[in-house]
């Protein structure tokens, strides 16, 4: 996909977030639902959190009732409330056919209908975890931003008393699950909020704007099948197009789509933040 030789430059801030994982979920669900796993071939033992034999013993042969997601975690939901959590981290991809760079495949999941899912992962940080109780696992992952439980009021409650920059707060998965660097920047731009604004200092109006903006950027990116700035691809190998509509993310120096001012990038707790200095002023 990237030709031979040097791997593509990796954008640390372009790892799969909620829209990318949701796109993968939607592509895999019709292929896998109702089937069962017949084999998990582990090519890199570090990918399995816990014991690989225990994982196989618990999941092989158990019907897969659905393919779910919470935040950035893809969940293969099995009977009796058990499941398998797949976390792609930086460069993980789930592909339905063997990729050209087969040395990057860390595990192969084989299903009763012959479907195979290749866990491809250049940086080798992704994980496969057996989950005894999916409900409890999801509760620990923080609120799902596209669910009814995530309201402007619940966001305000979680921001209250937190003096960290709002950009850093949005990356805290316990505040809201699934938002990463790209969509946090996009949401802050839509809401007109500077990334360094202390989380606890947002006005009610700003909090409502941010809540709306988060849902808007995530839904729009799902409709565009995710952002392929880095290694992200759909299970069939196609790229998403969400990045083509980004207003600020990865657009340093380009004109702001609202006011024309050059977009800037600053560091917030070691992560780059893209923003418009005119549309997202920092209050005194
Ligand atoms: Zn602007």
């Amino acid at each position: 996909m990237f030709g031979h030789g040097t791997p593509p430059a990796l954008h640390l801030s372009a790892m799969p977030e909620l829209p990318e994982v949701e796109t993968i979920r939607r592509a895999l669900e019709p292929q896998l639902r109702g089937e069962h796993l017949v084999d998990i071939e582990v090519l890199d033992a570090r990918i399995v959190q816990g014991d690989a034999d225990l994982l196989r013993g618990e999941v092989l042969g158990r019907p897969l009732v659905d393919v779910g997601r919470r935040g950035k975690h893809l969940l293969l939901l099995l009977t009796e409330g058990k499941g398998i959590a797949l976390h792609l981290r930086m460069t993980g991809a789930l592909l339905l056919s063997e990729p050209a760079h087969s040395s990057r495949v860390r595990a192969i999941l084989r299903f009763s209908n012959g479907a195979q899912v290749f866990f491809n992962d250049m940086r080798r940080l992704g994980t496969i975890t057996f989950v005894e109780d999916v409900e409890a696992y999801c509760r620990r992952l923080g609120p799902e931003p596209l669910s009814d439980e995530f309201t402007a009021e619940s966001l305000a409650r979680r921001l209250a008393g937190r003096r960290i920059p709002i950009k850093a707060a949005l990356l805290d998965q316990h505040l809201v699950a699934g938002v990463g660097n790209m969509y946090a920047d996009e949401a802050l731009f839509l809401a007109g909020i500077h990334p360094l604004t202390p989380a606890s200092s947002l006005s009610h109006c700003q909090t409502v704007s941010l809540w709306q903006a988060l849902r808007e950027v995530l839904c729009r990116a799902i409709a565009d099948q995710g952002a392929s700035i880095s290694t992200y691809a759909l299970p069939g190998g196609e790229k998403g197009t969400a990045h083509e509509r980004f207003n600020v993310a990865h657009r340093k120096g380009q004109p702001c789509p609202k006011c024309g001012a050059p977009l800037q990038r600053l560091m917030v707790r070691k992560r780059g933040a893209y923003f418009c200095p005119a549309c997202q002023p920092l209050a005194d």
Side-chain angles (χ1 to χ4, degrees):
M1 203 179 302
F2 303 109
H4 299 288
T6 330
L10 270 179
H11 298 269
L12 299 188
S13 55
M15 57 185 83
E17 302 181 29
L18 187 155
E20 288 72 38
V21 180
E22 175 62 18
T23 302
I24 291 167
R25 188 197 72 75
R26 291 180 184 191
L28 291 181
E29 187 201 272
Q31 307 280 336
L32 307 184
R33 189 163 57 176
E35 305 297 329
H36 60 266
L37 272 159
V38 294
D39 184 33
I40 301 178
E41 184 179 347
V42 177
L43 301 165
D44 175 357
R46 290 170 302 172
I47 196 170
V48 177
Q49 292 202 308
D51 184 68
D53 289 334
L54 179 75
L55 170 76
R56 284 195 198 88
E58 289 281 0
V59 307
L60 295 188
R62 196 181 275 279
L64 197 151
V65 294
D66 209 349
V67 182
R69 179 192 55 74
R70 176 79 162 217
K72 303 177 192 174
H73 298 241
L74 188 84
L75 300 164
L76 303 180
L77 305 173
L78 308 171
T79 51
E80 295 179 45
K82 300 176 193 295
I84 304 169
L86 304 173
H87 198 340
L88 304 175
R89 301 282 174 193
M90 280 177 60
T91 59
L94 301 173
L95 303 171
L96 284 164
S97 55
E98 190 167 358
H101 289 285
S102 54
S103 63
R104 295 177 188 158
V105 175
R106 302 177 63 207
I108 307 168
L109 284 66
R110 298 193 172 90
F111 293 84
S112 45
N113 61 351
Q116 301 188 92
V117 174
F118 296 81
F119 198 128
N120 204 42
D121 190 2
M122 185 161 53
R123 292 293 285 267
R124 300 181 175 268
L125 295 169
T127 53
I128 299 176
T129 309
F130 169 66
V131 180
E132 183 72 41
D133 181 344
V134 170
E135 257 190 55
Y137 185 82
C138 286
R139 275 197 300 274
R140 283 201 303 274
L141 293 180
E144 168 65 29
L146 301 181
S147 73
D148 292 341
E149 63 173 311
F150 184 68
T151 61
E153 287 69 32
S154 74
L155 178 61
R157 272 198 305 276
R158 286 168 188 271
L159 292 176
R162 303 198 59 174
R163 295 196 185 142
I164 61 171
I166 184 61
K167 170 64 189 285
L170 288 177
L171 300 184
D172 175 356
Q173 300 297 295
H174 295 102
L175 181 96
V176 52
V179 176
N181 223 27
M182 298 186 290
Y183 298 106
D185 284 351
E186 289 295 307
L188 288 172
F189 173 76
L190 280 195
I193 298 170
H194 193 285
L196 287 175
T197 308
S200 58
S201 75
L202 293 193
S203 66
H204 175 70
C205 188
Q206 283 179 312
T207 305
V208 173
S209 297
L210 180 58
W211 170 76
Q212 275 175 340
L214 282 167
R215 291 167 73 111
E216 188 178 328
V217 297
L218 295 173
C219 288
R220 198 167 58 195
I222 292 169
D224 288 337
Q225 302 197 301
S228 287
I229 284 178
S230 182
T231 55
Y232 163 74
L234 275 71
E238 312 91 337
K239 299 284 190 182
T241 60
H243 54 287
E244 293 171 12
R245 282 211 245 181
F246 280 171
N247 287 303
V248 291
H250 298 277
R251 297 175 62 87
K252 183 185 170 192
Q254 296 183 38
C256 167
K258 274 192 207 165
C259 75
L263 298 172
Q264 294 184 7
R265 178 175 185 267
L266 56 73
M267 297 306 285
V268 182
R269 304 224 162 166
K270 297 184 183 168
R271 304 288 300 276
Y274 297 87
F275 70 109
C276 172
C279 297
Q280 297 167 260
L282 186 58
D284 296 329

